[in-house]
Amino acid sequence: MTARVTAPVVYAMKGSGKRIVCLTAYDVTSAAIASEAGVDVVLVGDSLGNTVLGYDSTLPVTVDEVCHHLRAVRRAVNGPLLVADMPFGSYNECVPDGVRNAVRLMKDGAEAVKLEGDYPDVCAALVKAGIPVMAHVGFTPQSVHLFGGHRVQGKGDGANQVLAVAKRMEQAGAFAVVVELVPAEFAALLTAELTMPTIGIGAGPHCDGEIQVFHDVMGLSDRVYRHARAFTNGRSSFKRAAKAYAVAVRGGSFPGPENSA
Ligand code: KIV
């Protein structure tokens, strides 16, 4: 039987010497690949807006859309902790909204939810309802317009603000925190100051773990971002395969007699 990663298991990984490996997934294929590869955490990120729905930010993503992809991912994840992102607007207005929307995600198979920014009241209410919460600080993509673009956070005076938010979320019961697009030295300080594990993206090598977007790791994105690394050339090898398929069909070498019922 595959050992199941739970939120308390992730929390206990801090200081254990084992780094926490997190990867996003959006459908049954990406989820099976991540799960079979043995990652610790699979996140149905609202990055699905960019990676699979073609939006130019995460802002339009709805709870219905996350639930739709979550149900597919749920069918293939066996072992890793399954976390679902709370999309923009699903927790920002009031605590009851946050609880209602997180409950929907849990009913569709999530084992924890992630929310961006300074929402200790929502976090505490979710924990009270039995829902583990992953926090997200630094550059939080749902606030891209407030930041004026994809800007590094946690520099100068901003460092104290990010640290304070992370501490408030920790006190409210978050079991881990994603730290996005901050200087590596600041991520090291956050990691030392917090008792919950830090999970970096664009935050250098000193966090307790790392999270990346499936399409970036697989080389499926149309560019390689500075915070990412493509571990294979998915996009170009898929394109080569699609071209070879077209050549084979047009040239009559596929399908052959062996490809019939
Ligand atoms: O939506 C997402 O995929 C994320 C991670 C990359 C941190 O929030």
Side-chain angles (χ1 to χ4, degrees):
M1 206 177 79
T2 319
R4 290 192 81 85
V5 180
T6 62
V9 167
V10 171
Y11 184 79
M13 283 173 82
K14 188 178 180 102
S16 70
K18 277 199 279 177
R19 301 193 78 215
I20 304 159
V21 182
C22 315
L23 189 60
T24 67
Y26 312 104
D27 59 16
V28 77
T29 305
S30 54
I33 291 169
S35 185
E36 288 165 19
V39 305
D40 300 304
V41 175
V42 170
L43 170 71
V44 181
D46 60 356
S47 51
L48 69 87
N50 308 90
T51 55
V52 297
L53 297 179
Y55 302 150
D56 63 3
S57 79
T58 58
L59 299 194
V61 175
T62 64
V63 177
D64 282 346
E65 285 169 338
V66 176
C67 283
H68 178 75
H69 289 269
L70 169 62
R71 288 192 295 273
V73 167
R74 175 70 281 171
R75 294 181 194 112
V77 169
N78 182 20
L81 177 71
L82 179 49
V83 183
D85 244 342
M86 298 199 65
F88 178 58
S90 68
Y91 57 96
N92 314 74
E93 208 172 319
C94 62
V95 172
D97 266 5
V99 175
R100 191 171 45 254
N101 287 315
V103 165
R104 283 192 60 194
L105 297 170
M106 299 300 279
K107 283 186 185 288
D108 275 344
E111 294 161 330
V113 299
K114 177 168 81 58
L115 55 88
E116 297 182 6
D118 192 8
Y119 289 90
D121 293 353
V122 177
C123 181
L126 296 184
V127 172
K128 185 164 179 228
I131 301 173
V133 176
M134 182 179 276
H136 186 157
V137 301
F139 175 74
T140 44
Q142 292 171 13
S143 304
V144 62
H145 296 301
L146 189 69
F147 294 137
H150 290 74
R151 305 258 183 276
V152 176
Q153 302 297 307
K155 290 195 300 190
D157 290 347
N160 283 336
Q161 278 167 30
V162 174
L163 177 60
V165 171
K167 287 208 159 165
R168 279 195 285 277
M169 293 301 283
E170 176 170 271
Q171 260 159 18
F175 73 94
V177 59
V178 169
V179 180
E180 181 162 352
L181 210 53
V182 301
E185 315 77 60
F186 175 59
L189 177 109
L190 264 183
T191 302
E193 288 278 331
L194 297 170
T195 52
M196 64 180 164
T198 56
I199 299 175
I201 175 165
H206 307 302
C207 290
D208 298 301
E210 178 72 7
I211 185 155
Q212 286 287 326
V213 166
F214 184 88
H215 288 55
D216 293 340
V217 167
M218 302 304 161
L220 293 169
S221 305
D222 53 7
R223 52 182 280 214
V224 181
Y225 298 93
R226 178 147 179 231
H227 66 259
R229 183 186 295 172
F231 287 81
T232 186
N233 297 321
R235 198 177 182 99
S236 53
S237 63
F238 283 12
K239 209 185 289 178
R240 246 192 333 273
K243 281 185 180 165
Y245 165 67
V247 167
V249 171
R250 288 184 187 128
S253 67
F254 180 85
E258 72 283 12
N259 301 117
S260 72

